[in-house]
Amino acid sequence: GAGVSQSPSNKVTEKGKDVELRCDPISGHTALYWYRQSLGQGLEFLIYFQGNSAPDKSGLPSDRFSAERTGGSVSTLTIQRTQQEDSAVYLCASSLARQGVGYTFGSGTRLTVV
Amino acid sequence: AQRVTQPEKLLSVFKGAPVELKCNYSYSGSPELFWYVQYSRQRLQLLLRHISRESIKGFTADLNKGETSFHLKKPFAQEEDSAMYYCALLFSGGYNKLIFGAGTRLAVHP
């Protein structure tokens, strides 16, 4: 597609439920990133996929968070047993392998855990 | 450790006033720095990058390695500049990923 697409745009879930967030990157972009945007916290790096390399999971805050990228394209971020502190906007971005041109961000998924 | 610091959460100015959004970084390698902007109800988007030495929407940013800073400046702020601004450092230690600061909200008043 023309841009990075994320779904759903909004998600309200009950504490303890699992959620899946989807990201469809720009065609041809081999790198895909997930960030979390919380009020006053800026953008927190979560995970990075680059081609067929092992992902950089160093930013995942706990083992309740996981992500996969199938076929080098679409990615799914899964949060198990959601907690209220997971409430945030989850942003996906993609880029070409070499970073000099920066990222293209999706519009994000606003997750609210009640 | 690599880190990006934006010391101001909010910067409030009047239209026509000069603006400087501060950004300091900590990185042992050769830094590659960016400014991203998020206007209300819009996606986060790239504003400028230091390697291009460009001016976008009247904004410029100079990398000062001695002071480890990459402040964003504009001589005359406009109301449409009101937005959230994020400074970012490319960390290329094995993986290429952007490390962002906490962001500064710029509010330009008429």
Side-chain angles (χ1 to χ4, degrees):
Chain A
V4 177
S5 177
Q6 290 188 246
S7 61
S9 55
N10 278 284
K11 176 72 176 179
V12 179
T13 190
E14 292 181 353
K15 178 181 173 182
K17 300 281 189 183
D18 297 352
V19 294
E20 281 190 356
L21 312 179
R22 176 188 168 104
C23 173
D24 197 347
I26 290 175
S27 178
H29 279 190
T30 57
L32 186 148
Y33 312 80
W34 284 97
Y35 284 83
R36 180 166 67 177
Q37 187 179 32
S38 305
L39 195 62
Q41 301 295 319
L43 271 77
E44 176 188 6
F45 168 77
L46 297 178
I47 188 168
Y48 162 43
F49 296 91
Q50 172 58 59
N52 295 321
S53 302
D56 175 1
K57 303 179 181 180
S58 61
L60 294 178
S62 77
D63 58 9
R64 296 186 295 105
F65 288 72
S66 63
E68 63 178 21
R69 188 179 185 191
T70 54
S73 181
V74 173
S75 177
T76 303
L77 176 69
T78 301
I79 308 173
Q80 296 178 309
R81 304 181 303 281
T82 52
Q83 304 295 312
Q84 287 186 331
E85 60 263 28
D86 299 334
S87 297
V89 175
Y90 289 82
L91 292 175
C92 176
S94 70
S95 74
L96 295 170
R98 180 62 190 120
Q99 297 310 307
V101 295
Y103 297 0
T104 301
F105 279 87
S107 56
T109 294
R110 180 175 296 279
L111 176 66
T112 304
V113 182
V114 297
Chain B
Q2 51 284 345
R3 186 185 302 120
V4 176
T5 303
Q6 293 180 253
E8 303 142 328
K9 288 189 176 180
L10 172 66
L11 185 61
S12 187
V13 302
F14 287 104
K15 176 183 174 181
V19 167
E20 181 179 70
L21 288 87
K22 291 183 168 47
C23 172
N24 289 88
Y25 67 91
S26 173
Y27 185 49
S28 58
S30 182
E32 205 169 328
L33 288 144
F34 303 79
W35 276 99
Y36 279 78
V37 61
Q38 189 169 29
Y39 300 102
S40 179
R41 299 188 190 86
Q42 293 189 27
R43 302 181 182 206
L44 193 63
Q45 58 186 284
L46 177 67
L47 180 61
L48 56 79
R49 52 194 188 270
H50 92 270
I51 57 173
S52 298
R53 303 182 69 82
E54 57 204 343
S55 174
I56 304 293
K57 299 184 179 182
F59 284 97
T60 59
D62 291 320
L63 176 61
N64 186 323
K65 291 187 179 181
E67 296 182 356
T68 60
S69 68
F70 187 57
H71 303 327
L72 184 68
K73 301 178 183 179
K74 184 169 182 176
F76 307 104
Q78 303 301 313
E79 290 180 66
E80 56 265 30
D81 296 328
S82 296
M84 195 75 179
Y85 291 81
Y86 292 94
C87 182
L89 167 71
L90 179 65
F91 173 56
S92 54
Y95 293 97
N96 288 331
K97 63 187 180 190
L98 283 178
I99 297 169
F100 287 85
T104 298
R105 179 166 297 283
L106 174 64
V108 182
H109 303 285

